[in-house]
Amino acid sequence: MNEAYVVNNEREVILNVGPQHPATHGVLRYVVKLDGERIVDSDPQVGFLHRGIEKLAEYMTYHQFNPYTDRLDYLASMNNNLAYVMAVEKLLGITDQIPERAQYIRVIMAELGRIASHLVWLATHALDIGAMTVFLYSFREREYIIDMFEMACGNRLTYNYIRIGGVARDLPDGFMDRLKEFTKLFYGKVKEYHQLLTKNRIWLKRTKDVGYISKEDAINYGIAGPCTRGSGVDWDLRRDMPYLVYPELNFEIPVYDEGDVYARYLVRMDEMVQSNRILEQCIEKIPDGPVMIDEPRYVWEPKERIMMNNYALMKHFVKVVKGFKAPPGEVYFGAENPKGELGFYIYSTGEGKPYRLKIRAPSFINISAMPKMVKGGLIADIISVIGSLDFVFGECDR
Amino acid sequence: MADTVKVKINGKEYEAKKDETILQVARRNGIYIPAICYSDRFGAIGACRICAVEIVGMKKPMLSCAMKVKDGMEILTDSEKVIEFRKNIVYEWDKFHPLQCGVCDKSGECGLQDINYELNITENPLEKEADPLSVPNRTIHYEWKIIHHDANLCIQCRRCVTICDRVVNFGILALVKKEWGGREIDTKDGKPLDCEFCGQCVSICPTGAMSSKLFKYKARPWEMDKVRTTCQFCASGCQMDLNVKDNKVLRVTSEDDTPNMANLCNLGRFNYSVVESKNLINSPKVNGSSSNLDVAIKKAADILKSHGPDEIAAICGARETVEDQLALKLFFENAIKTSNIDSFASTHIGKLFSVLPKGVSPLNNVSDMEECDVIFAFGGDVANEMPRLDWQTTRNVKLLKKSKLVTAYWRDTKIDTLGSVALRYEPGQEVEFLNSLFGSLAGALNVSTDIKGSIEIPEDAVKVLSEAKKIAFLVGQEALERPNGSDVALALANLMLLFGDKVKLYASSKYNNSYGAIYSGVTNGFDLYGKSKEKVFSLYDLPKLVEDGKIRAIFLLNADLFTIFSDEDARKIFDKADVIYLDAYMSDSVKYAKVVIPVATFASTDGHYVNIEGRFNRVRKAIDRDVLMAKDVVIRIAGQYGYNLPIGYIKEALDKATFDLDQDMDSFRNVQSGGFDFTGSLKGVVVYSKFRSGIFSSFGEGASIAMEEPVLEINPEDAQTLGIEDGNYVNVEGLSALRVKAKIDDQMPKGVVSIPLWFAGYNAYNVSGSLTNLFSAKLMKGE
Amino acid sequence: MEVLIAIIKLIIVVTVLSVYVMYATWYERKVIGHMQQRIGPKRVGWHGLLQPIADTLKSFWKEDVIPEKADKPLFWLAPSIAATFPFAAAIAIPFAPPLHLANGKVFYFSVFHSKIDILYILGMMGLTSFGVLIAGIASGGSKYAFTGSQREAAQIVSYEAILALALLNPILMAHSLSLEKIVEAQRHLWFVFYQPFAFVAFVIAMIAATARIPFDLPEAEPELVAGHMTEFSGLKMGLFFFGQYVMIFVVSALASIVFLGGWTGPVLPGVVWYWIKILAFIFMYTWFWGTFPRYRYDQLMDIAWKALLPLMVLNILWTGFALAVGLPVL
């Protein structure tokens, strides 16, 4: 039995934080053993939002599963779409054929998604620690991004915009203008957040030297994304296992060595700036052209063809009803998501549906390091650490 | 090792048997070769040519479905040449195929769609040749019953032609030249389709050309859930999928991996509408008026309690699940403490299984019939009684050409068209015939015996039978249901004993769980697992026992008395005894029973049926209905007795799933039976119809369209004598009179007429008398 | 007559304070709304002016859930105490400068007037924490409520001490515990200029004593859900808030009287100055709310005992020394 559930003396108290609790970002049940307010031991319990998404995947075609990935990390649906779609494309062997414009659009969406996700992180992290205004400021900017997403795909939360073979449709008129406007304006906004928090004494007191995890532990726990980069691990899939057009773009990977909540905070703050830089470059470089590959074996054909040619119509029915036949084999693709490395492992037996689909959910893995981080701290530190790990239960519980 | 060869497929070496085709070797090893016209159900046709492969050294691509492997052959299944060849075929098909996928029932499971996708057709050079306006100009057969044929959608793979010929052995379809210049699938004679309406052609058609009218525009294939279950219309135990949407069965399909190889007959495939609630008993009834379940169960228990144990009897209709039967058995033996249980199985296979000879294998897989070099079909029209045996016989004789066929019946039937050694006897002369055959065979096999008969057996039949290495005995239900059925069984047992362990027995039964009724010991003379036991109570005695007041309460489990007794007898039983009736379907018994409790149909039941093979087939719940399963009703009635029915025991009894049949007959017994005394010139026989299995099957749409009303079959000469023409109504007089339509059939022997069983509003037993199927017929031309 | 006037005053004070509390929430929401680039209440009434009434009515109709394990009498008592004692403290707070009547009598705009106003107010404020303590005990073993009330008790005890020590400096300078006298003493220059450290310490302590951001640890939402109020609902929970808002008024008034010269000020009439100062303090509360994160519990105690207490002791020593030797304080 886990130590966290055993009370050794009368000073120790077991406190159930969650699953219904204002600061657990969803439905985490965090069991802490307290001595006074000091944490002796703790154990995170997950699974309250389990929907069996991996199992569901075995019963649907590759196209059908795409919207389900929206429901993983619902704060960064675009990035989830991207990771899944890239995994499927790797399985199909069409990664190289994705039109360049589509690749740039994907990068734009992924980076906007990263900023949006980090803004929600900043908002809730600050709100948890008591700074309410930051919450509203960052939601103000997030709204801007969500509006842009709505322009592109009509949805505000679950986008399903990035599709196998490209993106659902080309960017609408006026999108690039808004993006330009946003990238210009965003540097100033990040400054505003810095003003409110970065040098704030209370903020420093609450985040510095709290929730420490060493570089070795971070690697051993398999923590990914900004959380490891806060512990001095210089690892970012966009640079180290490049995909899409990231190699052509110029950006830095912020790394801080302190390993505490504050370091993770700084990493994400810097990442937002870097993402904004990427966006600026994308605006410059994005070419014209198609946004979807022309590979009728795997992607929907244009309606004109389906209505005019019987073979196109017949193939369309097969793709819709039975799903396209992916080559047999197994494939893993991990993308650098706002929360860390989101990986999709697909085992295909050559049918229209995956035989097995496994999701490496960064939130799930990051949570595993929590007991290590909060041990010896106070109740309030749990809140700081939860905020700094930035997990989403849609993804963790899957 | 002489008959194994090595072949290279796509550069990899595989071992293969000598007589295998390339396609078989490839499929066995998981190498995909597309094939449209080929099916394991009937083998190669060679019409679609899509399965072409390249053989190194040969210029032209070869058809893998027909080409046998040769040692050292190098095969390429997807070289560019082959792909190009296949594409050209598909271009040809696509050229005229209408853009109707959106409204076509087949789309979503269409072979043409699949092949288009697999070959990734993105253009069609032949497109320009086809004038889109003149494309859908081929015949659409609106006039056919049940089956809809749209020649525009046809790709002429000839699967339907082949299955009709080689599996069903009916052969009504053919590619026929039409006035527009090309050829189309049509009936050979050009008349509207008049066949068995088994729908095998619908099931095999790769496109939407052949489709079911009953299913048309009801649902799309992907919308329905498929529930694998067992057919309820005979003891074949065909596995089929109920396609369910919105709690309704919309069609029945079957898959190639089933033991029945996706073959289904008209009853199985098109009669799913019997489970619609308009055909069912929808509420419990007490003394004829609607009631609720609690009251009905209380009332049933009160009736049972008010009589002594020996005054109560139970009858199973052999259509309920094994679980239901076991529950009834437990309830009767432990709570009521009586063994007065019998089932409809005792009218036929019960008789045979109580005299099973030593060495004979009583329960065999139908597909194992392929091991037999001789098939001996006796006593019934197999095609009518159990189509699955008919298909297997056809496969053996026509497709695999492995077996010789000997038929023994009073008339020619469909299987005789396979080319049989036909033995004929007069109805009622079964025992005499079997004795004669026994005598002749004993002589040929050098077995000394004093049993002999007076009918002369042709030499060739004796020769074929006596030289058999393995012999399949197909025993018709009809022969066993003769008034002297027990003697027929005994005579048959003698014959089987003569062959000993060469015999594989296939005894047909129209009752889907009659084998289960033997297994669970609810049949007279059988205990649990089919062990034999003392005969206590027989169905045959029921009318008399009731008349004498010895039986005062009867518990009927799915046993509609009007399906085995004449109306008069049945009504008498209902009058004299208090009857508790559990059934799913509406029937006459509902009108007369004291207490009627509806139970779940096979589509809403979970349980097992035992089929002719002794296999325990699952029945799965496909549609929800607010009705209990029969076993649960029995459990609740048992509860009124304060008896807690041990469900674990039922499970245990079921888990064994093997029969313990006593095969203790080890010596020949001399059976002498006079047969049936016909008065008058016409012999009447009650036969089973292909389109009915129980009166409730009349509710089925497919069966009632295929055969609306009963027909009396009569020899043309007799008809002429009586002045009857085809389609005339005649009054048949036996015990009482019936009015049926006459059909002149030149396969009928002279002096014999037959009427079928189990049509709505008509009871053949009224003419012949309960539990008999022979009568002296008197025909009067009706108006 | 005195009693009658006192009763009338009491009724008026309770009424005014109740209305004040309602509109203090509106004021706060409006202010923080604009700070956060929103507009705050807008729908109910003109500029959301009827919103507080709607909220109050809502809290009346809310279902009152009492946990099964709760100690029922205490569960009732806790919110009552938490709301009553702030009122008790508030009756000593003048709502306007005293009125010198023609007959030579002085009319005080406070229900209760004595020479030891400050002592009385501090006493009543101290008692308020009992409500919170009892709430924690009454909640029937709810760990959140219990931890919350423990925190509150410790916090109030710590910061009452700081509050008292910070007040000691002006008291020393004014030689009186009477609010009126203290205001008198600041006629020329407000004490805040003499005692900036004491003022800062007082402001910190008053925020802590009322448990507002950055010291709202007893009810720190992300940690303790709602602290001692976790198990309370409806009107009972409303009473806790009621008490808190009255406290905010009391300490704001106290701060403006003791350090900012109460109703003294140029040009404008005294009563206007007085209320401007009170509202400025309330604005400060909101401002902090909108700006600061929350301290951790141990840090809060560190500030009280390791920083403020020694500072204040030194401050008192210095003030006493300076007064004794006649130096201008600071």
Side-chain angles (χ1 to χ4, degrees), chain A residues 295-298 306-311 313-315 317-319 321-325, chain B residues 94 97 99 101-102 107-109 112-114 116-118 120-124 127 222:
Chain A
E295 172 52 286
R297 194 180 284 270
Y298 302 129
I306 290 173
M307 297 309 227
M308 292 305 293
N309 301 114
N310 54 10
Y311 43 85
L313 177 62
M314 287 189 241
K315 276 174 351 191
F317 262 97
V318 174
K319 278 179 275 181
V321 176
K322 296 179 176 168
F324 59 72
K325 292 211 167 59
Chain B
D94 283 354
H97 202 84
L99 266 135
C101 295
S107 79
E109 50 179 24
L112 188 60
Q113 286 183 345
D114 288 349
N116 265 284
Y117 175 75
E118 262 147 33
N120 197 16
I121 307 292
T122 47
E123 39 135 34
N124 188 354
E127 215 164 26
W222 60 88

Side-chain angles (χ1 to χ4, degrees), chain C residues 186 251-263 274 277-278 281:
Chain C
Q186 301 175 69
V251 289
S252 300
L254 207 57
S256 55
I257 287 171
V258 176
F259 288 98
L260 299 182
W263 42 83
Y274 180 54
K277 286 167 190 169
I278 292 176
F281 274 109

Side-chain angles (χ1 to χ4, degrees), chain B residues 313-325:
Chain B
I315 294 169
C316 289
R319 292 200 183 276
E320 58 289 315
T321 61
V322 185
E323 285 89 340
D324 296 344
Q325 293 168 345

Side-chain angles (χ1 to χ4, degrees), chain A residues 79-351:
Chain A
N79 302 61
N80 303 338
N81 286 168
L82 179 67
Y84 169 69
V85 160
M86 295 285 289
V88 175
E89 283 167 1
K90 196 170 164 188
L91 175 70
L92 302 178
I94 54 171
T95 313
D96 301 336
Q97 302 165 31
I98 308 302
E100 211 180 343
R101 184 173 174 82
Q103 297 202 29
Y104 271 98
I105 292 175
R106 284 177 177 191
V107 170
I108 289 172
M109 292 305 168
E111 295 308 318
L112 279 176
R114 190 181 317 279
I115 293 174
S117 169
H118 281 359
L119 285 173
V120 175
W121 154 79
L122 178 65
T124 52
H125 188 30
L127 186 68
D128 283 350
I129 295 187
M132 185 184 173
T133 305
V134 183
F135 177 87
L136 286 140
Y137 281 10
S138 28
F139 263 65
R140 183 185 60 194
E141 272 73 70
R142 179 173 179 263
E143 191 64 20
Y144 215 104
I145 298 174
I146 303 285
D147 281 348
M148 275 192 275
F149 284 159
E150 195 183 357
M151 275 175 89
C153 64
N155 292 332
R156 293 173 61 84
L157 186 72
T158 50
Y159 311 113
N160 192 23
Y161 176 65
I162 298 172
R163 302 275 175 86
I164 295 164
V167 295
R169 67 185 85 152
D170 205 349
L171 295 173
D173 294 342
F175 182 91
M176 287 318 254
D177 298 333
R178 292 210 56 167
L179 185 63
K180 262 178 219 162
E181 204 182 316
F182 174 79
T183 47
K184 254 189 225 136
L185 168 143
F186 189 62
Y187 289 120
K189 299 294 179 188
V190 177
K191 246 179 223 147
E192 242 174 56
Y193 313 143
H194 276 298
Q195 270 171 5
L196 275 165
L197 295 174
T198 309
K199 297 258 167 64
N200 187 321
R201 283 183 56 83
I202 305 176
W203 183 259
L204 287 171
K205 280 208 145 188
R206 285 299 302 278
T207 55
K208 271 219 154 193
D209 300 326
V210 167
Y212 172 75
I213 189 152
S214 68
K215 188 174 177 177
E216 289 70 36
D217 281 340
I219 293 171
N220 290 345
Y221 272 102
I223 306 176
C227 298
T228 37
R229 291 195 282 278
S231 290
V233 183
D234 192 2
W235 178 256
D236 188 312
L237 292 174
R238 287 176 294 172
R239 183 195 62 197
D240 299 319
M241 295 173 76
Y243 53 98
L244 294 176
V245 288
Y246 280 115
E248 293 164 32
L249 300 166
N250 188 14
F251 59 99
E252 284 153 31
I253 312 295
V255 178
Y256 288 82
D257 294 330
E258 289 82 355
D260 55 10
V261 173
Y262 189 63
R264 296 194 276 273
Y265 158 78
L266 289 176
V267 167
R268 290 202 179 87
M269 295 296 275
D270 291 358
E271 262 185 25
M272 285 198 274
V273 176
Q274 293 303 330
S275 292
N276 206 28
R277 270 184 64 195
I278 295 174
L279 288 174
E280 282 178 337
Q281 294 169 45
C282 287
I283 296 170
E284 303 265 306
K285 287 187 172 174
I286 187 165
D288 279 333
V291 294
M292 184 58 100
I293 57 166
D294 189 19
E295 172 52 286
R297 194 180 284 270
Y298 302 129
V299 303
W300 311 137
E301 278 177 274
K303 261 287 182 277
E304 307 83 66
R305 261 194 257 165
I306 290 173
M307 297 309 227
M308 292 305 293
N309 301 114
N310 54 10
Y311 43 85
L313 177 62
M314 287 189 241
K315 276 174 351 191
H316 187 72
F317 262 97
V318 174
K319 278 179 275 181
V320 171
V321 176
K322 296 179 176 168
F324 59 72
K325 292 211 167 59
E330 47 191 314
V331 73
Y332 174 83
F333 179 83
E336 186 69 29
N337 256 34
K339 311 281 186 289
E341 178 182 349
L342 176 71
F344 284 87
Y345 166 82
I346 301 172
Y347 185 99
S348 158
T349 51
E351 297 296 309

